[in-house]
Amino acid sequence: MEEPKNDEPKGELLRLRLKPGYEETRTFEGKARIELDGGDPITQQINMRVTAKVQRVDGDVYEILLEPSPITVQQEGQPDQSGLLTEEPAVVDVDTRGRLLTPTNALVSTLQTIGYVPLPEKRILPGAKWSLSGERSWPLLGNVSVRETFIYRGAEKLEGRKVHHIDQLVKGSISSIKTEASYYLDADTGTLRSGEVRISGKIEIPGPDGSKSPAEVSIRLTIRKIEPPV
């Protein structure tokens, strides 16, 4: 990970701060639009939720159990047709800097871990940037080599709570795809309170006979933390 060079004495030290037994639930709501050349666009609604439970704290590493609901995929205009994608609960290790230490390969697992944002080691001011490179599994695209750049926009208020606003820009091995995201991390816990991921561009979709068809794709995914009842 390429870090900001300076430690800013008046800056923010961004960290994940959790205790054993901490639990939260996030909802994932998305819309995917696929338009094949010469065909009518297909729009799908995507919904799921994930409950994260801290099972153990070992130094600066959290062992977190992720319990997902099935993903429902509903095609627009066809209310009687929907699909479910399911997966077993997963246990992941995440450190206090939000870095995922457990690799995830399945589509659902990758979606579950969207809320964990890798954070810089030093204190930072608005405008600070950091980046990392690796392989990611993207919806519809499979494994893609990417370079992710994060930009700290500063502290804001969201629903009465202080949050840290971080934007993400992604460049991948599929140059025709544009990916960007915005995250709002709770200033007290470092957990995601709200976020949005946007993917758009041109891809080739494989057919049952092995052929590939060009398509325009756009995906917008919104993530929100569910507040427990008072």
Side-chain angles (χ1 to χ4, degrees):
M1 187 159 128
E2 295 183 17
E3 302 265 2
K5 293 182 179 179
N6 298 326
D7 180 31
E8 303 290 349
K10 296 183 179 181
E12 297 278 3
L13 185 65
L14 306 185
R15 290 292 185 269
L16 199 59
R17 302 180 181 91
L18 305 178
K19 295 180 179 180
Y22 175 85
E23 179 178 330
E24 66 176 21
T25 299
R26 299 179 187 138
T27 61
F28 295 72
E29 297 180 354
K31 178 180 284 189
R33 177 184 170 92
I34 306 170
E35 187 171 356
L36 294 167
D37 278 1
D40 294 329
I42 298 171
T43 302
Q44 296 177 327
Q45 299 284 345
I46 304 167
N47 291 277
M48 72 175 292
R49 66 173 55 196
V50 175
T51 297
K53 300 177 181 178
V54 178
Q55 298 191 128
R56 189 166 63 93
V57 179
D58 184 5
D60 64 352
V61 176
Y62 302 106
E63 182 183 272
I64 299 176
L65 171 65
L66 300 175
E67 297 182 301
S69 71
I71 295 182
T72 62
V73 181
Q74 179 77 53
Q75 187 160 321
E76 195 172 83
Q78 299 184 19
D80 297 329
Q81 296 186 17
S82 64
L84 292 177
L85 298 173
T86 60
E87 186 177 278
E88 295 297 318
V91 176
V92 297
D93 289 335
V94 180
D95 71 8
T96 55
R97 288 175 54 191
R99 298 177 297 182
L100 187 67
L101 307 180
T102 305
T104 55
N105 299 313
L107 168 64
V108 180
S109 290
T110 303
L111 289 176
Q112 290 179 35
T113 57
I114 283 177
Y116 299 103
V117 179
L119 303 171
E121 179 182 3
K122 300 173 182 177
R123 293 169 291 183
I124 56 174
L125 294 171
K129 297 182 181 181
W130 60 100
S131 60
L132 68 158
S133 301
E135 193 172 78
R136 299 289 182 270
S137 178
W138 283 354
L140 303 179
L141 304 179
N143 291 334
V144 178
S145 297
V146 299
R147 179 176 177 81
E148 303 169 84
T149 299
F150 298 88
I151 306 169
Y152 178 55
R153 299 300 187 188
E156 302 177 12
K157 285 284 187 178
L158 179 65
E159 298 172 346
R161 295 185 66 91
K162 179 182 176 181
V163 295
H164 295 295
H165 177 184
I166 297 173
D167 284 339
Q168 179 189 30
L169 304 174
V170 182
K171 292 185 178 180
S173 53
I174 302 177
S175 59
S176 60
I177 293 292
K178 178 182 179 181
T179 304
E180 55 187 5
S182 298
Y183 303 109
Y184 297 87
L185 305 184
D186 188 287
D188 292 332
T189 63
T191 58
L192 184 72
R193 293 194 64 84
S194 178
E196 184 178 81
V197 179
R198 304 168 291 278
I199 304 174
S200 62
K202 297 180 180 180
I203 64 171
E204 291 188 336
I205 296 180
D209 59 354
S211 63
K212 294 184 177 181
S213 302
E216 292 273 356
V217 174
S218 65
I219 302 170
R220 184 180 293 264
L221 183 68
T222 300
I223 310 104
R224 297 187 188 281
K225 178 183 175 181
I226 299 178
E227 292 296 338
V230 178

